[in-house]
Each structure stands twice: as C-alpha cells, then as structure tokens.
C-alpha cells in the first residue's frame, strides 16, 4: 500500500507539473521566510546567553532627574563611586566590575611584531575594568590563565582578533605592547588571550586592562552625578539579587551626606544581563520589532499553508472520478483519507527541503546586510522542521483529504460534469484568497510606512546642516590638549575648508552632561539642561539658525566661560529654543538679557542669556530635543570633537586631506573622523534593516498569494469554459466576459484590504508613537499599497482570463 501511494504521488506530480510547482514553490517560500525569521528571533533573544551563569549577572542602571515633576532617564552608565559603596553595604554581591570604555592608541614594539620590524599603531577601544572582571564575565580564555589575568596594573587581555592583528598569533601571552592614553604611554604585558566574543553580545570586549591611576583621578569619577561607565554585579543567587534590589530605593538617602550632587539622581535599578539587549537604556533593540518579525514569519507560513489548502481543494474536484473508481473497487474512506494526508505531508516535506535550501542561500546576504552572525544549527532546526512538516502537512491536507474521501461514487460516476462544491466551495476559496491578501497587504503597508519613516529620520531637519560637515572624534584624546589649536589652524588652511570649530558634543553622541539651571526666585523649579562647551565659529560651522539675540564673540569678555567649570564667576550663555520654553520664557526674544542661575559643584554661578538658537538634534529621533545651553570656550576644550565645514572637494578627498594634515602634526595618535551623516546613521539603521526585512516578507507574502491566485485562475479557466461558451452564444462580448471573470478574482483582494487597513493602521500608529520626529500616517499609503495589490492580482489572472474570454463558443461547448 505504501509503494502504491508513493507511485500515485509521483504520477500526480509528473502529470500536473503546474500544480506541483505552484504548491511546492509557494510552500517553500513560506517555509523559507518562516525559518529565516525564526533564526533571526532566536539570534536576537540569544544575546548574552553564552556567558556562564548569566542569570546571576546584572547591570546597575542610574535613574537621572531632569526637572521637578518630570521623569528622568534611565542610563546604562552609572557613577563610578556606586560600585565600592554597594560592595561595602551588600555582601550578597559575589563579584563586581566597572567597565569604562576608552579610545586609546595601541603600539606593538618592533621586537614583538610578526612582520620583521614594522611598527603597528592603531586606535582601539579598550575597556578599563576592575581586576574582578573575570569573576563577573568569564572570558573564554584560550591562552593564559583567566583567574589572575588582571591582577597587576600593567596587564592586558586581548581578543584573538587583536592578538593576531598585533602579533600574528593567538599565543601572545608574555608579549608586550605600548598603550597611549590621556597623552601618557605605558608598557603592558599580555596576560591572556580570549576567544572572540560573538556579535550577539552587549559588551563586545576586544581588550581589557585594569583602570589606571591617572583615570581614577579624573574629576568625573569622583562625582555621584556623573555616569562614567558600566557597573556589572554578580550575585550569589536570585534571592541575593532581590535583597539588594529591595534596598536600592533608599540607597541615595543613605549616602546623601557623602554626595550632595546625588540630588540629580532619582535612584538605581538592576537590569539582568539576559535582558540588556532589549532593555538597554540608551541603545537597546526593540523587543516589539523583533516579535513583529517573528509574527511576519508565522503569517508567511500561514499564507503559504492557506495557498496549499486552496489549490489542493480546487484540484480535489479534478480527482473526483479517481476517488469514485477506487471506492467502487473497495477502497475505504479512512484509507483514502490516510493516502491524501500522506500526499500532503510528502508535498510539505518537498517544500521544506526547498525552504531549507533557500534559507541557506539567503543567510549570508542577510548577515551582511544586518551585521548579524545568524547561523543554522541543525541540531536545533531539524527536529523543529520535522514537526513543522508533520503539523503543516496534516493541517494543510486535512480539509482537502476529507472532501475527496467523502465523494459518493454513484453520484460522481453518473454526473456529466466534475463536481464543483457549489457556491459554498467558491466562497471558501474566495475567503482563503482574501485571507492571504490580508497578510500581504498588511505587511506591505507596514513595510512602506517603516521605509518612509526611516527616510524621514535620515533626511529630516536636525537644526543644523549635515552636508559638507566632517567630525574629527580623535580630537577628544587628552594628549592633544596642547596641540588642539595647531590642529584646528592646520585644518582651516586646507583647500575647500570654510570654517573649523570644536565642542565637547557632536552629532551621533548620546552622552549628555547635565547642569541645573533656574530663573531667579525659582530655585524650586530648577531645570536640568544639557550643557555644551563650544569654540570659535561653532554656530557658523554647524549653520545653526539664530532665533533671537546674538552669538558669542571675543569682544565681550563675559562671553568667555572660565576654564575651571566650578568657577563661580558670571558668564554669558546661549540657549536653544527648548531651553527657553523649559525656563518659562514666552518666546525666544523674551529670554534675551534675562539672568539665570546655574548649579556648579556645591555652589551656584550667575549666567545671562545673550542668544537663542534653533534646536539641534544630535541624538536619536526617538527622543525629544533636549533643552540645552552653550558655554563659549575659545581655548582648550577637554574631550572635544573638531567639526569641519567644507565645500568643493568630495567627502573622501576631504577626509584624506584631513588625515594627511593630522599625521604631520600628530603621528603618534590614530586619526578618526567621519561625516555627520555617517555618525547619525546608527540612529536609524536598525529600523532601516527591520524595514527591509518587512519589505522582503511583504514581497514573499504577495508572491505566495499571487501563486495561489494564478493556480485558481488556471483551474477556473478549465472549469468555466462551458459557461463562457453559453454566455457568448447568448450575446455576451469578450469585454463582458473579461469583466465578469476579473471581478470574481479582484473582489476578495479589495475586500481583504478593508480588513488589513485597520490592523496595519493600529500597528503603525503604535510604532510611530515611539518617535519624536515622525511622519503622518496618511491614507495615501494604504491606498497606494491596495491599488498595487489589485494591479498585481489582475496581472496574475489576466492571461488565463483573456484566454477564456476569447474562446470560441463552439469549442467551449464542445469541451464541456
């Protein structure tokens, strides 16, 4: 019986090639999308799962205050001082470490190099950490000993990538290298080399070394009101974590005498390592978007299954006489049901093989597009794929099998025509087609809105001119403080450069320095504003519009802010529009000449507003523009970025010229620069990638729907030849018949749009609500997608419809 069933299945595929291609191709596409997006969801949810005992590791987040009555931000960077206070107070903390990221220059001495003496000098990001880091994050060491890797201040651990880069081998323990940080060079000994961490890691550590004493002496590290790095805590068990979390609420009160500036902090919170990817306070992934991708995969599979049911039900009518003959010869209803279910499972198995092959082909470009390391783990995938084949095969084939097995032999053999399941069958097929297009149109609308929103974020006005603007971030190295002006002067002399400036904040930087400011007599209504120190020609270089008052100049002595940021002397400030509103001024003009008070350390200092400029958005489009004020500092600005406005040369040529000028003056520090657009791209690229995946899902869903529609049109073309012949004999023209048939297929597509619209509108309205800068949800988007879907559906069935409509009545009646 099994052999007979296999022969029947192979004969059916051979005789009905179009049916086989449509069914296997549609199912294969649906399964491929489902597998791909399942792997993506698994990858996103697998972030940081590779760390041993990751359930016991938590990050200390700091909750910041902005203004009275206004909720603050939750940031992953916390104060440097919290870690020691927590360790002293809570014995439940088994191990802890701070991670302070720092851009440094690493130099491998010629004696230790792989290339016979040529020096390697590169700018790298290192994590300065506490010696306990290996007890918190068990780095996968492949050379050396993990336990004592950071016990001495001159030790450094490297990833395998950096070890190969600087020494040509992963066996680099004992080798030495120089590190230049804050203008000071120190020799380090490689104490361990660890395996490269997966990309699915929140903290992609390439190099780590103990926190140097010169960094521990920084003023910001002694302030409770400064987030200087990440603090990771490892607890003995979950009960210990809960005990600490319960007492974090009054942690501030217990340390208020020790930290007057702790007033800027609302509190602390713990984030599990496994949740950091989704709950990261500054740059985490969007859990809802990842879940939406998983839903797209499920719906694509469901659409492909519906397509199979639709085609299989239609084809069942053509097998009616076969079923009748087999029943006459003794086949039972149960046996026929089992056979047809077996054929359905076999069809899904072939489609699964096709889907798996398509998944293998699609993964490399997907990883390249999105910067992932998604891989197929067959040990995880094959059992689930097998279950999918059985469930989808039985689910998709059950209804057609029951329909086929229920045919009465006498009625079928006595009939002159094949059964059509009547009006009910036509309605069922229309409903199934409509369900497919509901998914397809909904996906397409979402994809279109996401693409338009990303384009809006990319092109929206940010309050400054982005074109022709290059940011030199390597200027922030403290070793350059004595050479800052010389570098700026050399940049200004380059051909094509229009203006040059520096500031301690630049586009693409979400790290903020806050200061409390209030109007006289309103100390209880203080506002937490972003402060920024800017150099000469700052507003000219960024082309930030002046709304009221004037800008800084050297002729007014009080425009220049004291170099000591705790100096209580009076100075002038420029504020942005949002700061004017936050301070209660009715208009930008109303703020000019008005005094305010700024909190500096434990004291205050008077400030006078001399100008109001437009809001400049340097960060993500998801957040409102921060109320901000500017200090003028024409001399040295610590931790600054240079900004160069140019015209004429190409961006590449300008970057090359800047790099040459840099190397002439600063050969010992790596040059690092990028255009303002490139620096801002990180804020919209994740949404852009998700939009591309949604677009791909929409294309596949529409393709599957059109495949099913094409199959049904081919079936109806054969079934309705006789009807068309009669209509044409009674006087119907080709155009009348064509209109009749097209309406039959287009109607469920149009109706499905009415179902898809409210669902897509609600989903996109919720998603867009997360953006401060966002597009309006225009009905034109919905209408455009619907018209496109209707046009595709019409084009899909047009060939079959025209063939039937143009058939000669005599031939059509003879066929019937």
């Amino acid at each position: 019986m099994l052999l007979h069933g296999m022969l029947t299945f192979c004969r059916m595929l051979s005789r009905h090639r179009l049916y086989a291609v449509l069914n296997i191709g549609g199912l294969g596409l649906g399964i491929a999308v489902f597998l791909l997006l399942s792997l993506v969801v698994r990858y996103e949810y697998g972030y940081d799962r590779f760390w041993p005992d990751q359930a016991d590791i938590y990050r200390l987040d700091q909750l910041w205050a902005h203004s009275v009555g206004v909720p603050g931000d939750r940031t992953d960077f916390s104060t440097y001082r919290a870690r020691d206070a927590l360790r002293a107070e809570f014995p439940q903390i088994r191990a802890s470490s701070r991670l302070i990221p720092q851009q440094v220059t690493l130099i491998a001495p010629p004696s230790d190099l792989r290339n016979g003496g040529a020096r390697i000098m590169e700018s790298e990001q290192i994590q300065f950490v506490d010696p306990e880091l290996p007890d918190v994050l068990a780095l996968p060491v492949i050379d050396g000993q993990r336990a004592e890797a950071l016990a001495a201040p001159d030790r450094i651990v490297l990833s395998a990538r950096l070890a190969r880069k600087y020494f040509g081998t992963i066996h680099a323990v004992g080798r030495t290298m120089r590190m230049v940080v804050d203008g000071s060079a120190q020799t380090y000994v490689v104490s361990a080399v660890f395996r490269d961490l997966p990309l699915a890691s929140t903290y992609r550590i390439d190099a780590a070394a103990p926190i140097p004493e010169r960094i521990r002496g920084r003023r910001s590290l002694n302030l409770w009101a400064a987030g200087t790095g990440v603090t990771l805590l490892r607890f003995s068990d979950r009960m210990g974590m809960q005990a600490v979390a319960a007492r974090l609420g009054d942690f501030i009160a217990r340390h208020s005498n020790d930290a007057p500036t702790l007033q800027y902090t609302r509190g602390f919170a713990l984030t599990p390592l496994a949740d950091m990817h989704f709950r990261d306070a500054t740059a985490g992934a969007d859990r809802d978007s990842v879940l939406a991708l998983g839903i797209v995969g499920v719906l694509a599979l469901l659409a492909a299954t519906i397509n199979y049911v639709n085609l299989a039900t239609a084809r069942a009518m053509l097998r009616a006489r076969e079923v009748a003959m087999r029943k006459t010869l003794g086949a039972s209803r149960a046996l026929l049901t089992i056979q047809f279910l077996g054929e359905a499972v076999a069809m899904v198995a072939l489609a699964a093989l096709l889907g798996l092959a398509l998944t293998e082909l699609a993964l490399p470009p997907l990883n390249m597009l999105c910067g992932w390391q998604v891989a197929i783990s067959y040990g995880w995938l094959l059992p689930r794929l097998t279950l999918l084949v059985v469930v989808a095969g039985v689910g998709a084939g059950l209804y057609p099998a029951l329909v086929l097995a229920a045919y009465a032999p006498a009625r079928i053999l006595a009939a002159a025509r094949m059964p059509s399941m009547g009006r009910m069958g036509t309605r069922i097929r229309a409903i199934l087609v409509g369900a497919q297009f509901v998914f397809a149109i909904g996906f397409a609308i979402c994809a279109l809105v996401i693409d338009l929103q990303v384009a809006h974020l990319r092109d929206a006005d940010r309050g400054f001119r982005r074109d022709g603007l290059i940011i030199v971030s390597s200027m922030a190295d403290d070793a350059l403080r004595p050479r800052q002006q010389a570098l700026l002067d050399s940049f200004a002399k380059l051909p094509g450069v229009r203006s040059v400036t520096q500031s301690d904040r630049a586009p693409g930087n979400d790290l903020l320095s806050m200061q409390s400011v209030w109007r006289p007599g309103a100390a209880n209504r203080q506002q937490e504003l972003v402060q920024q120190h800017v150099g000469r020609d700052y507003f000219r270089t960024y082309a930030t519009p002046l709304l009221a008052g004037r800008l800084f100049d050297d002729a007014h002595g009080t425009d220049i802010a004291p170099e000591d940021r705790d100096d209580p002397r009076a100075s002038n400030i420029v504020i942005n529009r949002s700061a004017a509103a936050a301070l209660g001024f009715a208009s930008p003009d109303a703020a000019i000449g008005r005094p305010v008070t700024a909190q500096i350390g434990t004291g205050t200092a008077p400030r006078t507003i001399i100008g109001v400029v437009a809001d400049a958005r340097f960060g993500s489009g998801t957040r409102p523009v921060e109320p901000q004020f500017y200090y003028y500092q024409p001399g040295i600005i610590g931790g600054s970025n240079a900004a160069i406005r140019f015209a004429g040369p190409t961006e590449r040529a300008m970057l090359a010229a800047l790099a040459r000028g840099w190397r002439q003056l600063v050969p010992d520090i790596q040059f690092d620069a990028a255009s303002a657009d490139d620096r801002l791209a990180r804020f919209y690229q994740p949404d852009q990638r998700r939009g591309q995946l949604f677009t791909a899902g929409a294309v596949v869903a529409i393709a599957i729907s059109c495949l099913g529609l094409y199959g049904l049109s081919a079936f109806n073309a054969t079934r309705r030849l006789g009807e068309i012949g009669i209509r044409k004999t009674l006087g119907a023209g080709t155009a009348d018949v064509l209109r009749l048939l097209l309406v039959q297929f287009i109607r469920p597509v149009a109706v499905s749009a009415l179902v898809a619209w409210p669902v897509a509108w609600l989903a996109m309205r919720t998603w867009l609500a997360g953006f401060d800068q966002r597009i309006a949800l225009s009905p034109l988007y919905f209408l455009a997608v619907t018209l496109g879907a209707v046009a595709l559906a019409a084009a899909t069935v047009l060939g079959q419809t025209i063939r039937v409509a143009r058939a000669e009545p005599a031939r059509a009646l003879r066929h019937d």
Side-chain angles (χ1 to χ4, degrees), residues 65 131 281 528 671:
E528 196 72 6
F671 176 74

Side-chain angles (χ1 to χ4, degrees), residues 12-46:
M12 184 266 295
L13 293 180
S14 176
R15 292 182 59 189
H16 305 287
R17 294 185 182 90
L18 177 62
Y19 167 74
V21 168
L22 293 177
N23 247 336
I24 294 175
L27 269 174
L29 277 175
I31 290 173
V33 172
F34 174 76
L35 292 179
L36 274 173
L37 296 184
S38 296
L39 291 171
V40 168
V41 171
R42 179 173 180 260
Y43 174 83
E44 292 282 359
Y45 273 87

Side-chain angles (χ1 to χ4, degrees), residues 277-342:
H277 182 55
F278 292 119
R279 294 177 56 190
D280 197 299
T282 58
D286 185 351
R287 188 190 297 268
D288 291 339
S289 295
V290 174
L291 289 175
L293 289 178
I295 292 172
V296 168
V298 172
L299 292 181
L301 178 63
L302 183 58
T305 305
I306 288 174
N307 187 52
Y308 176 88
V309 172
N310 224 350
L311 290 176
T313 305
R315 290 298 308 176
M317 302 171 194
L318 301 180
R319 300 183 69 180
R321 286 189 172 87
E322 173 197 341
V323 172
M325 289 297 297
R326 294 185 61 186
K327 277 194 167 184
T328 302
L329 295 175
S332 66
R333 181 173 181 175
L335 183 63
L336 289 171
T337 301
I338 292 172
Q339 177 190 334
F340 294 133
L341 281 177

Side-chain angles (χ1 to χ4, degrees), residues 173-302:
V173 172
R175 304 284 187 92
T176 61
M177 62 193 322
R178 302 278 288 173
M179 182 192 302
V180 181
V181 55
D182 288 354
S184 177
Q186 180 179 337
T187 300
Y188 282 81
V189 178
V190 179
S191 57
V193 176
F194 56 91
R195 188 168 57 250
D196 293 337
L197 300 181
L199 287 180
S201 174
T202 301
Y203 301 109
R204 298 171 190 157
I205 303 171
D206 264 335
I211 304 171
E213 285 299 325
R214 59 184 174 277
I215 288 184
R216 294 177 188 271
R218 290 178 180 173
R219 177 178 178 274
S220 61
L221 267 64
N222 293 309
L223 296 176
W224 282 84
T228 54
V230 170
T231 302
L232 295 180
L233 309 174
R234 182 171 181 176
F235 295 92
S236 302
D237 50 40
R238 184 172 180 81
M239 292 183 61
M241 180 277 297
Q242 291 173 340
V244 174
R247 297 188 59 195
L248 279 180
D250 57 353
F251 183 77
I252 295 175
R254 295 195 299 274
H255 291 271
S256 57
N257 293 331
D258 179 46
T261 58
L262 207 58
Q263 61 182 304
Y264 303 131
T265 301
R266 294 194 184 277
F268 297 91
L270 298 176
T271 296
L273 179 63
D275 288 352
M276 288 180 193
H277 182 55
F278 292 119
R279 294 177 56 190
D280 197 299
T282 58
D286 185 351
R287 188 190 297 268
D288 291 339
S289 295
V290 174
L291 289 175
L293 289 178
I295 292 172
V296 168
V298 172
L299 292 181
L301 178 63
L302 183 58

Side-chain angles (χ1 to χ4, degrees), residues 119 121 483 662-670:
R119 185 177 68 162
M121 181 182 72
R483 293 175 279 183
W662 178 279
R663 285 192 292 269
Q664 290 176 1
L665 291 174
V666 192
D668 55 327
I669 296 177
Q670 190 71 16

